[in-house]
Amino acid sequence: MLCELCGKETPLTSRIRIEGTILNVGPECVRFGERIDPPPSPSGAATAALRPRPGVGPVRPAGGRRLEERDLYQEIGEMELAPDWPKRVRTAREARTWTPEDLGKKLNEKKSVVLKIESGSFRPPDDLVRKLERLLQVRLRAEAEPASSG
Ligand SMILES: [Zn+2]
């Protein structure tokens, strides 16, 4: 083998450290550095500590709370109605000479519901608004904004 310091062929080498660098050198060069002992045979020892422990996963943040305000609004109905929608219902119903009971039957609602709607004390949900509009051929929703073109 070769001495890593002088490059000469040498029957045996020793490990030395010169300014932090470890070299395998021949006997005549050992004196240039600090001789260090050969490392213990790397059989098994000291590697087990580096193995990751099973069962310890990444920590997940607790909670996951989701607010669902939008769903709530959808249930209540946010269709914008004309200011005089109760009057429009009543006028359209009377034009057809239907009693509140008649209209209630057609809507699958009670007569009291119709009366509440016509008095404005009950704001019908969106699907009921559509039914009323269809049955009475009247528009209860607020007027759409005029088209910008024209
Ligand atoms: Zn040498």
Side-chain angles (χ1 to χ4, degrees):
M1 45 186 76
L2 296 175
C3 169
E4 290 179 359
L5 189 58
C6 67
K8 276 190 202 165
E9 182 72 31
T10 176
L12 66 116
T13 59
S14 302
R15 281 168 156 259
I16 62 166
R17 177 159 48 206
I18 300 176
E19 292 176 2
T21 303
I22 292 169
L23 298 170
N24 294 307
V25 298
E28 72 263 38
C29 289
V30 169
R31 58 196 163 97
F32 294 122
E34 176 192 351
R35 179 154 187 180
I36 56 175
D37 293 323
S41 63
S43 58
T47 55
L50 292 174
R51 257 193 281 145
R53 280 199 248 165
V56 183
V59 181
R60 273 203 298 173
R65 183 170 48 146
R66 258 200 307 168
L67 296 175
E68 296 182 355
E69 287 174 40
R70 284 189 158 272
D71 292 348
L72 256 170
Y73 275 114
Q74 266 183 351
E75 253 180 63
I76 294 167
E78 280 301 296
M79 200 181 269
E80 197 177 341
L81 299 184
D84 61 339
W85 62 267
K87 192 179 154 195
R88 294 189 192 194
V89 173
R90 179 169 183 168
T91 304
R93 175 182 61 75
E94 286 177 344
R96 281 161 176 73
T97 66
W98 293 346
T99 65
E101 200 171 359
D102 290 335
L103 181 55
K105 278 179 189 168
K106 294 173 194 298
L107 292 170
N108 279 326
E109 300 287 351
K110 289 175 193 161
K111 171 187 163 188
S112 60
V113 171
V114 174
L115 291 174
K116 277 185 190 174
I117 288 171
E118 291 187 357
S119 70
S121 61
F122 172 63
R123 194 274 197 205
D126 288 352
D127 61 335
L128 196 51
V129 170
R130 290 195 195 91
K131 270 193 204 173
L132 282 163
E133 285 183 333
R134 202 164 52 234
L135 276 167
L136 300 171
Q137 294 293 302
V138 68
R139 185 168 180 82
L140 302 181
R141 275 170 272 187
E143 300 304 322
E145 288 183 29
S148 55
S149 68

